[in-house]
Amino acid sequence: MCGIVGYIGKNSVKDILLDGLSELEYRGYDSAGIAVLQDSNFSIYKAVGKLENLKNKTKEFHPKGFSIGIGHTRWATHGKPTELNAHPHIGENSYVVHNGIIENYQELKQRLSTEGVHFLSQTDTEVIVHLFESHLKRLKSPLEAFRAALDELHGAYAILLITKSAPDTIFFAKNGSPMLIGLGKDEKHFASSDTPLIGLCKDVIYLYDGENGYLTSDAIEVFSKSYEKITPVHKALPTSKLSAQKEGYRFFMEKEIYEQSQVISDTLMGRLSKDTILFEELDEKLFEGINEIKLCACGTSYHSALAASYLFERFAKIRCSVEIASEFRYKEPMMSKDTLFVVISQSGETADTLETLKMAQAAGLKTLVICNVDNSSMVRAADASILTRAGIEKGVASTKAFATQMVVFWMLSLYLAKLRSSLTSAQLAEQILLLREIPATVVVSDDLHEKIRRLSKRYLHGHGFFFIGRDVFYPLALEGALKLKEISYLHAEGYPSGEMKHGPIALADPELFTIALMPVNLLYDKTKSNVEELSARDSTICAISAVAFDKADDFIQIKEHKHYMHEFFEMMVVLQLFSLEISVRLGNDVDMPRNLAKSVTVE
Ligand code: G6P
């Protein structure tokens, strides 16, 4: 949800800022902007829409020599995606970029307006720069003024501020939104994630909530929330950016679908023995006294959690409930200490999920996070973490992250089954053999992809899609519908097959498309009856199964598998490709669909 970058040094500030923003564009692309301060002069550029527009605007801008700069790519929260609302926001002599939400901005805005400040934008961010300048008039010291401004801000933020009153300095603060400092040779950087820094820096400093300070060309000053000096820890940054490039695929999403076999192998690596799951990162004590698991997440991660709840109850015989994080936050939930609270997040930064983690901790629950990003806010906050090893996921529509979450959940349910003796050694050994075979089940064959590409042309219209399934195939149906919505903008719903007759079947007609998940190894006959009910009402049916179904209008055949989880994984690939090809035919932006963002760090 918004990406920010900053730079101090002698190299090409414009290119460094723009390259950094292009790595962060998945976080929001409603507008982008940069501000560069050189020889006490500001240069400022903003453009609505994708970064490309800002690149075009800055073609003639070639700053040389020492400078400082900040940049921002926006996912609009307060105020429309206009140029006036684009960051950086200006005061009299200062600029600011911000990721997060300033919750008390209205009262601050009112007060500053009575002091004579004229606001240009509708954003919450603009108050920061005016607040700083108002304090600067009184305090004279930019650092004191920055701190006085921070003391008045409520909410989540990662902030960079530059000012003519300290022309070689970038002030920064982090609270609830991600930010790190990159240390290059004779230069320093800021970024919302480490990707923009790969290749530029060897070491980074991950900032923690409440931390703030300033950088100059020769100083890095980091302070705690109460402004005590901190000695920051330097950490090594990975060196290869290759895996973050498209490598010949049309879209990152497509590349990420094809990568699933590899990243699932990576996720399994070192974690399987003959009849045991090895999670080196877990201490068995985490599960002592635990009688229930509560899973909490948003979006795609919520769907993997929902599917996992079937596995936990079935294999580990442990009570399991699932919560949507944004709902859980305000429902005044009952939390008991014999519940292990598990959050699931690709990014580890989703604001709602992070907040539920903090709530559970405050209530004294033990916590675990399943996450794809090491050092993310959730990983740092939880008692324990399991990393999904999906690698950088760039497509906004999550694919390989979901796949690896499901693999971790399957493994975790077996890990618990062993601890709780709910499966025999022979059963565990059998399950582990199945796990080893997942990478082969998700390999995309040319035939399958071509079949789905051809079929996709029949599904570009209609008044809606119902993706239906039972058991773990119900959350998979939800995920299939979400994928389609996200990148095709067509209306789609996921539904439990057996629930269609309780209302939605009223919609059935030839223009209602039913995508039926029909695994042979799980409740096949039950699902078949439900699909027949829809077929009898003339809904257009696309069946996905290993066996042909004579009532279907279209049929996507998957391989024959011996276990329903293998059918789950292959159907997952089918649904991902189905959405992708429909989106391509509709001419949509597959990797950066409208109105969405990869990482949602606001409520
Ligand atoms: C956004 C993304 C989704 C993602 C959700 C939760 O909405 O567009 O793809 O599933 O956030 O993100 P998380 O990083 O917590 O898994």
Side-chain angles (χ1 to χ4, degrees):
M1 190 76 24
C2 302
I4 60 183
V5 289
Y7 178 74
I8 294 188
K10 289 189 186 133
N11 289 321
S12 172
V13 60
K14 178 190 90 173
D15 297 334
I16 289 170
L17 293 176
L18 291 179
D19 289 351
L21 289 179
S22 75
E23 294 292 339
L24 296 175
E25 208 182 358
Y26 68 92
R27 297 177 63 86
Y29 33 85
D30 287 326
S31 64
I34 56 170
V36 171
L37 179 56
Q38 190 169 42
D39 303 327
S40 290
N41 287 317
F42 275 119
S43 306
I44 168 87
Y45 295 89
K46 298 182 187 192
V48 172
K50 301 253 171 77
L51 190 63
E52 205 47 44
N53 301 339
L54 182 66
K55 286 187 176 163
N56 287 335
K57 267 198 170 174
T58 51
K59 267 195 181 129
E60 307 305 322
F61 176 49
H62 301 293
K64 289 205 171 57
F66 177 82
S67 60
I68 64 176
I70 55 178
H72 187 270
T73 175
R74 177 169 187 248
W75 187 79
T77 57
H78 294 65
K80 292 208 160 89
T82 60
E83 205 164 303
L84 275 181
N85 287 332
H87 300 218
H89 286 286
I90 186 176
E92 273 174 39
N93 283 307
S94 320
Y95 277 96
V96 72
V97 290
H98 160 231
N99 169 24
I101 289 183
I102 304 301
E103 284 167 0
N104 57 335
Y105 83 101
Q106 257 157 340
E107 54 189 88
L108 292 170
K109 197 167 175 173
Q110 252 171 16
R111 192 186 87 207
L112 290 162
S113 299
T114 57
E115 287 175 21
V117 173
H118 177 59
F119 281 84
L120 296 171
S121 78
Q122 302 153 307
T123 66
D124 52 334
T125 301
E126 198 185 344
V127 297
I128 303 171
V129 68
H130 294 304
L131 199 57
F132 165 76
E133 292 198 333
S134 140
H135 285 299
L136 187 61
K137 282 191 188 122
R138 194 169 51 84
L139 294 165
K140 307 295 177 215
S141 147
L143 180 60
E144 293 302 313
F146 186 63
R147 288 174 172 179
L150 289 184
D151 287 341
E152 292 201 78
L153 300 178
H154 299 166
Y157 48 79
I159 296 170
L160 297 180
L161 182 142
I162 56 178
T163 172
K164 280 190 186 172
S165 53
D168 60 348
T169 307
I170 300 183
F171 294 95
F172 65 88
K174 174 198 177 331
N175 190 40
S177 300
M179 188 159 64
L180 63 153
I181 298 172
L183 308 165
K185 194 173 174 304
D186 303 325
E187 59 182 14
K188 300 185 186 73
H189 303 254
F190 286 96
S192 299
S193 82
D194 50 16
T195 344
L197 306 179
I198 296 174
L200 294 174
C201 306
K202 283 204 174 114
D203 288 330
V204 290
I205 297 169
Y206 291 101
L207 295 168
Y208 288 80
D209 284 349
E211 290 183 354
N212 59 82
Y214 63 89
L215 292 195
T216 64
S217 52
D218 27 56
I220 304 168
E221 298 292 347
V222 183
F223 303 94
S224 70
K225 195 174 170 50
S226 48
Y227 308 119
E228 276 138 26
K229 201 169 155 65
I230 290 174
T231 310
V233 179
H234 293 201
K235 289 205 171 174
L237 190 68
T239 49
S240 162
K241 212 185 253 186
L242 254 190
S243 63
Q245 309 302 331
K246 275 191 213 150
E247 290 169 10
Y249 290 99
R250 294 170 296 172
F251 310 99
F252 280 111
M253 182 185 176
E254 185 177 43
K255 171 178 167 268
E256 287 158 5
I257 293 171
Y258 274 75
E259 257 172 22
Q260 290 180 114
S261 180
Q262 180 57 52
V263 296
I264 289 174
S265 299
D266 293 344
T267 306
L268 294 169
M269 204 188 338
R271 287 169 167 168
L272 304 180
S273 79
K274 195 171 145 287
D275 61 357
T276 316
I277 303 291
L278 310 160
F279 278 123
E280 264 183 12
E281 52 277 75
L282 293 187
D283 185 336
E284 286 183 9
K285 284 200 194 114
L286 186 70
F287 302 94
E288 274 171 14
I290 294 299
N291 294 313
E292 181 178 347
I293 290 183
K294 195 176 271 301
L295 304 170
C296 192
C298 300
T300 290
S301 298
Y302 169 74
H303 295 154
S304 75
L306 201 57
S309 68
Y310 291 82
L311 304 184
F312 282 124
E313 299 220 344
R314 186 165 293 147
F315 297 146
K317 301 288 176 233
I318 186 161
R319 245 191 344 264
C320 183
S321 54
V322 193
E323 307 273 356
I324 291 176
S326 56
E327 285 298 306
F328 189 72
R329 281 182 75 166
Y330 301 105
K331 74 190 271 198
E332 298 179 27
M334 301 288 292
M335 290 192 262
S336 69
K337 290 190 181 156
D338 66 345
T339 301
L340 176 67
F341 194 81
V342 184
V343 287
I344 307 91
S345 174
Q346 186 282 127
S347 62
E349 303 293 347
T350 304
D352 284 321
T353 313
L354 181 58
E355 193 51 38
T356 64
L357 175 62
K358 291 179 185 164
M359 281 166 63
Q361 285 180 319
L365 271 63
K366 293 193 212 174
T367 58
L368 168 68
V369 56
I370 294 172
C371 190
N372 196 35
V373 181
D374 199 3
N375 283 307
S376 58
S377 302
M378 286 183 220
V379 170
R380 294 201 307 261
D383 295 327
S385 58
I386 303 179
L387 292 178
T388 45
R389 302 181 186 162
I392 296 165
E393 188 178 64
K394 288 206 148 188
V396 166
S398 179
T399 52
K400 62 176 181 167
F402 174 77
T404 54
Q405 286 170 347
M406 283 311 304
V407 172
V408 166
F409 273 133
W410 190 357
M411 283 195 283
L412 188 60
S413 67
L414 300 179
Y415 175 95
L416 275 174
K418 172 116 184 173
L419 275 186
R420 298 166 63 83
S421 308
S422 54
L423 291 182
T424 62
S425 282
Q427 286 170 321
L428 279 168
E430 195 188 336
Q431 289 277 322
I432 287 168
L433 283 181
L434 293 169
L435 279 169
R436 291 188 191 282
E437 290 169 11
I438 320 173
T441 67
V442 297
V443 171
V444 184
S445 72
D446 289 348
D447 286 352
L448 179 71
H449 197 158
E450 178 55 18
K451 161 95 190 174
I452 295 171
R453 198 189 62 74
R454 274 187 290 116
L455 203 78
S456 60
K457 61 178 172 291
R458 307 231 274 266
Y459 293 91
L460 307 177
H461 61 291
H463 60 74
F465 287 74
F466 271 90
F467 287 68
I468 61 169
R470 279 176 176 261
D471 202 277
V472 289
F473 294 87
Y474 159 51
L476 184 60
L478 288 173
E479 177 59 9
L482 181 66
K483 287 294 84 94
L484 189 68
K485 271 187 278 221
E486 284 179 318
I487 60 174
S488 73
Y489 320 139
L490 294 168
H491 180 79
E493 282 188 63
Y495 235 77
S497 312
E499 194 62 15
M500 289 297 284
K501 57 184 168 295
H502 297 295
I505 204 165
L507 294 170
D509 70 13
E511 296 295 288
L512 179 81
F513 300 138
T514 301
I515 312 298
L517 308 184
M518 303 178 71
V520 176
N521 292 291
L522 192 74
L523 301 168
Y524 181 77
D525 289 331
K526 302 272 176 213
T527 309
K528 193 169 150 203
S529 307
N530 302 142
V531 183
E532 271 166 2
E533 288 154 15
L534 280 152
S535 158
R537 275 128 191 120
D538 236 3
S539 168
T540 297
I541 312 277
C542 175
I544 306 175
S545 184
V547 295
F549 173 54
D550 57 4
K551 304 277 168 35
D553 300 274
D554 284 318
F555 175 52
I556 302 175
Q557 186 160 29
I558 62 161
K559 294 185 281 285
E560 280 182 18
H561 296 286
K562 49 184 178 278
H563 195 273
Y564 64 86
M565 283 306 289
H566 285 174
E567 295 180 291
F568 178 99
F569 278 102
E570 192 177 343
M571 286 188 196
M572 171 197 80
V573 175
V574 168
L575 296 180
Q576 293 165 343
L577 292 170
F578 185 70
S579 301
L580 173 83
E581 291 304 335
I582 289 177
S583 175
V584 173
R585 282 190 191 272
L586 292 172
N588 297 343
D589 187 336
V590 171
D591 286 330
M592 286 193 260
R594 70 184 184 203
N595 303 340
L596 300 180
K598 184 78 190 152
S599 172
V600 183
T601 48
V602 293
E603 262 196 77

